[in-house]
mmCIF file of all heavy atoms in Angstrom:
data_model
loop_
_atom_site.group_PDB
_atom_site.id
_atom_site.type_symbol
_atom_site.label_atom_id
_atom_site.label_comp_id
_atom_site.label_asym_id
_atom_site.label_seq_id
_atom_site.Cartn_x
_atom_site.Cartn_y
_atom_site.Cartn_z
ATOM 1 N N ASP R 105 -42.835 -62.905 36.642
ATOM 2 C CA ASP R 105 -43.968 -63.783 36.392
ATOM 3 C C ASP R 105 -43.853 -64.949 37.364
ATOM 4 O O ASP R 105 -42.784 -65.202 37.917
ATOM 5 C CB ASP R 105 -43.916 -64.290 34.945
ATOM 6 C CG ASP R 105 -45.252 -64.792 34.436
ATOM 7 O OD1 ASP R 105 -46.258 -64.679 35.158
ATOM 8 O OD2 ASP R 105 -45.278 -65.299 33.314
ATOM 9 N N VAL R 106 -44.934 -65.638 37.592
ATOM 10 C CA VAL R 106 -44.893 -66.883 38.346
ATOM 11 C C VAL R 106 -45.429 -67.967 37.422
ATOM 12 O O VAL R 106 -46.492 -67.810 36.825
ATOM 13 C CB VAL R 106 -45.728 -66.805 39.651
ATOM 14 C CG1 VAL R 106 -45.859 -68.164 40.311
ATOM 15 C CG2 VAL R 106 -45.073 -65.824 40.623
ATOM 16 N N ILE R 107 -44.643 -69.019 37.279
ATOM 17 C CA ILE R 107 -45.020 -70.131 36.414
ATOM 18 C C ILE R 107 -45.118 -71.401 37.244
ATOM 19 O O ILE R 107 -44.683 -71.427 38.392
ATOM 20 C CB ILE R 107 -43.994 -70.333 35.266
ATOM 21 C CG1 ILE R 107 -42.624 -70.698 35.838
ATOM 22 C CG2 ILE R 107 -43.920 -69.086 34.398
ATOM 23 C CD1 ILE R 107 -41.622 -71.170 34.809
ATOM 24 N N THR R 108 -45.694 -72.423 36.663
ATOM 25 C CA THR R 108 -45.704 -73.720 37.340
ATOM 26 C C THR R 108 -44.775 -74.668 36.589
ATOM 27 O O THR R 108 -44.700 -74.647 35.357
ATOM 28 C CB THR R 108 -47.118 -74.326 37.411
ATOM 29 O OG1 THR R 108 -47.653 -74.414 36.093
ATOM 30 C CG2 THR R 108 -48.027 -73.489 38.292
ATOM 31 N N VAL R 109 -44.062 -75.451 37.362
ATOM 32 C CA VAL R 109 -43.132 -76.439 36.824
ATOM 33 C C VAL R 109 -43.397 -77.760 37.538
ATOM 34 O O VAL R 109 -43.953 -77.772 38.639
ATOM 35 C CB VAL R 109 -41.657 -76.010 37.027
ATOM 36 C CG1 VAL R 109 -41.355 -74.736 36.259
ATOM 37 C CG2 VAL R 109 -41.330 -75.828 38.492
ATOM 38 N N PRO R 110 -43.008 -78.868 36.928
ATOM 39 C CA PRO R 110 -43.193 -80.155 37.611
ATOM 40 C C PRO R 110 -42.413 -80.185 38.932
ATOM 41 O O PRO R 110 -41.259 -79.758 38.983
ATOM 42 C CB PRO R 110 -42.628 -81.175 36.622
ATOM 43 C CG PRO R 110 -42.640 -80.487 35.300
ATOM 44 C CD PRO R 110 -42.450 -79.030 35.585
ATOM 45 N N ALA R 111 -43.057 -80.645 39.970
ATOM 46 C CA ALA R 111 -42.398 -80.808 41.268
ATOM 47 C C ALA R 111 -41.981 -82.267 41.390
ATOM 48 O O ALA R 111 -42.826 -83.163 41.299
ATOM 49 C CB ALA R 111 -43.347 -80.422 42.404
ATOM 50 N N VAL R 112 -40.701 -82.482 41.554
ATOM 51 C CA VAL R 112 -40.178 -83.850 41.662
ATOM 52 C C VAL R 112 -39.267 -83.949 42.869
ATOM 53 O O VAL R 112 -38.731 -82.961 43.351
ATOM 54 C CB VAL R 112 -39.410 -84.274 40.386
ATOM 55 C CG1 VAL R 112 -40.341 -84.326 39.192
ATOM 56 C CG2 VAL R 112 -38.247 -83.349 40.117
ATOM 57 N N LYS R 113 -39.104 -85.156 43.356
ATOM 58 C CA LYS R 113 -38.213 -85.413 44.480
ATOM 59 C C LYS R 113 -37.438 -86.680 44.177
ATOM 60 O O LYS R 113 -38.006 -87.669 43.708
ATOM 61 C CB LYS R 113 -39.029 -85.577 45.757
ATOM 62 C CG LYS R 113 -38.215 -85.795 46.986
ATOM 63 C CD LYS R 113 -38.608 -84.808 48.021
ATOM 64 C CE LYS R 113 -37.759 -84.993 49.253
ATOM 65 N NZ LYS R 113 -37.555 -83.754 49.913
ATOM 66 N N GLN R 114 -36.144 -86.631 44.419
ATOM 67 C CA GLN R 114 -35.303 -87.804 44.243
ATOM 68 C C GLN R 114 -35.372 -88.626 45.525
ATOM 69 O O GLN R 114 -35.213 -88.096 46.624
ATOM 70 C CB GLN R 114 -33.846 -87.396 43.961
ATOM 71 C CG GLN R 114 -33.668 -86.602 42.697
ATOM 72 C CD GLN R 114 -33.980 -87.433 41.456
ATOM 73 O OE1 GLN R 114 -33.846 -88.646 41.427
ATOM 74 N NE2 GLN R 114 -34.447 -86.747 40.419
ATOM 75 N N PHE R 115 -35.634 -89.921 45.367
ATOM 76 C CA PHE R 115 -35.763 -90.795 46.527
ATOM 77 C C PHE R 115 -35.152 -92.142 46.184
ATOM 78 O O PHE R 115 -35.707 -92.887 45.368
ATOM 79 C CB PHE R 115 -37.243 -90.947 46.909
ATOM 80 C CG PHE R 115 -37.465 -91.767 48.145
ATOM 81 C CD1 PHE R 115 -37.160 -91.258 49.399
ATOM 82 C CD2 PHE R 115 -37.970 -93.054 48.054
ATOM 83 C CE1 PHE R 115 -37.367 -92.014 50.531
ATOM 84 C CE2 PHE R 115 -38.183 -93.819 49.185
ATOM 85 C CZ PHE R 115 -37.880 -93.295 50.432
ATOM 86 N N GLY R 116 -34.015 -92.448 46.772
ATOM 87 C CA GLY R 116 -33.376 -93.748 46.562
ATOM 88 C C GLY R 116 -33.130 -94.081 45.100
ATOM 89 O O GLY R 116 -33.390 -95.198 44.674
ATOM 90 N N GLY R 117 -32.657 -93.121 44.319
ATOM 91 C CA GLY R 117 -32.385 -93.360 42.912
ATOM 92 C C GLY R 117 -33.612 -93.268 42.021
ATOM 93 O O GLY R 117 -33.515 -93.437 40.810
ATOM 94 N N MET R 118 -34.777 -93.019 42.609
ATOM 95 C CA MET R 118 -36.009 -92.882 41.827
ATOM 96 C C MET R 118 -36.453 -91.421 41.851
ATOM 97 O O MET R 118 -36.185 -90.686 42.793
ATOM 98 C CB MET R 118 -37.122 -93.753 42.425
ATOM 99 C CG MET R 118 -36.851 -95.231 42.332
ATOM 100 S SD MET R 118 -38.092 -96.284 43.154
ATOM 101 C CE MET R 118 -39.567 -95.382 43.116
ATOM 102 N N THR R 119 -37.132 -91.018 40.798
ATOM 103 C CA THR R 119 -37.696 -89.679 40.732
ATOM 104 C C THR R 119 -39.198 -89.785 40.949
ATOM 105 O O THR R 119 -39.890 -90.462 40.196
ATOM 106 C CB THR R 119 -37.399 -89.029 39.363
ATOM 107 O OG1 THR R 119 -35.989 -88.983 39.175
ATOM 108 C CG2 THR R 119 -37.961 -87.624 39.304
ATOM 109 N N LEU R 120 -39.667 -89.124 41.984
ATOM 110 C CA LEU R 120 -41.096 -89.143 42.297
ATOM 111 C C LEU R 120 -41.730 -87.834 41.864
ATOM 112 O O LEU R 120 -41.230 -86.759 42.168
ATOM 113 C CB LEU R 120 -41.307 -89.336 43.799
ATOM 114 C CG LEU R 120 -40.722 -90.601 44.420
ATOM 115 C CD1 LEU R 120 -40.891 -90.567 45.927
ATOM 116 C CD2 LEU R 120 -41.390 -91.821 43.827
ATOM 117 N N SER R 121 -42.849 -87.919 41.172
ATOM 118 C CA SER R 121 -43.583 -86.735 40.754
ATOM 119 C C SER R 121 -44.496 -86.293 41.880
ATOM 120 O O SER R 121 -45.258 -87.082 42.426
ATOM 121 C CB SER R 121 -44.415 -87.040 39.502
ATOM 122 O OG SER R 121 -45.194 -85.914 39.175
ATOM 123 N N LEU R 122 -44.420 -85.007 42.221
ATOM 124 C CA LEU R 122 -45.234 -84.447 43.299
ATOM 125 C C LEU R 122 -46.243 -83.433 42.785
ATOM 126 O O LEU R 122 -46.714 -82.590 43.527
ATOM 127 C CB LEU R 122 -44.335 -83.794 44.347
ATOM 128 C CG LEU R 122 -43.262 -84.681 44.973
ATOM 129 C CD1 LEU R 122 -42.360 -83.864 45.884
ATOM 130 C CD2 LEU R 122 -43.888 -85.839 45.725
ATOM 131 N N GLY R 123 -46.553 -83.487 41.499
ATOM 132 C CA GLY R 123 -47.485 -82.529 40.911
ATOM 133 C C GLY R 123 -46.742 -81.352 40.323
ATOM 134 O O GLY R 123 -45.764 -81.526 39.614
ATOM 135 N N VAL R 124 -47.186 -80.143 40.670
ATOM 136 C CA VAL R 124 -46.538 -78.940 40.141
ATOM 137 C C VAL R 124 -46.153 -78.007 41.284
ATOM 138 O O VAL R 124 -46.717 -78.070 42.376
ATOM 139 C CB VAL R 124 -47.436 -78.183 39.134
ATOM 140 C CG1 VAL R 124 -47.679 -79.017 37.892
ATOM 141 C CG2 VAL R 124 -48.739 -77.757 39.763
ATOM 142 N N LYS R 125 -45.194 -77.139 40.997
ATOM 143 C CA LYS R 125 -44.733 -76.142 41.954
ATOM 144 C C LYS R 125 -44.724 -74.790 41.260
ATOM 145 O O LYS R 125 -44.275 -74.666 40.122
ATOM 146 C CB LYS R 125 -43.314 -76.490 42.417
ATOM 147 C CG LYS R 125 -42.699 -75.469 43.359
ATOM 148 C CD LYS R 125 -41.237 -75.767 43.610
ATOM 149 C CE LYS R 125 -40.550 -74.857 44.575
ATOM 150 N NZ LYS R 125 -40.863 -73.481 44.633
#
Side-chain angles (χ1 to χ4, degrees):
D105 200 5
V106 171
I107 63 169
T108 56
V109 296
V112 296
K113 182 127 182 148
Q114 298 294 332
F115 183 73
M118 294 175 28
T119 301
L120 301 174
S121 176
L122 303 174
V124 295
K125 177 188 183 324

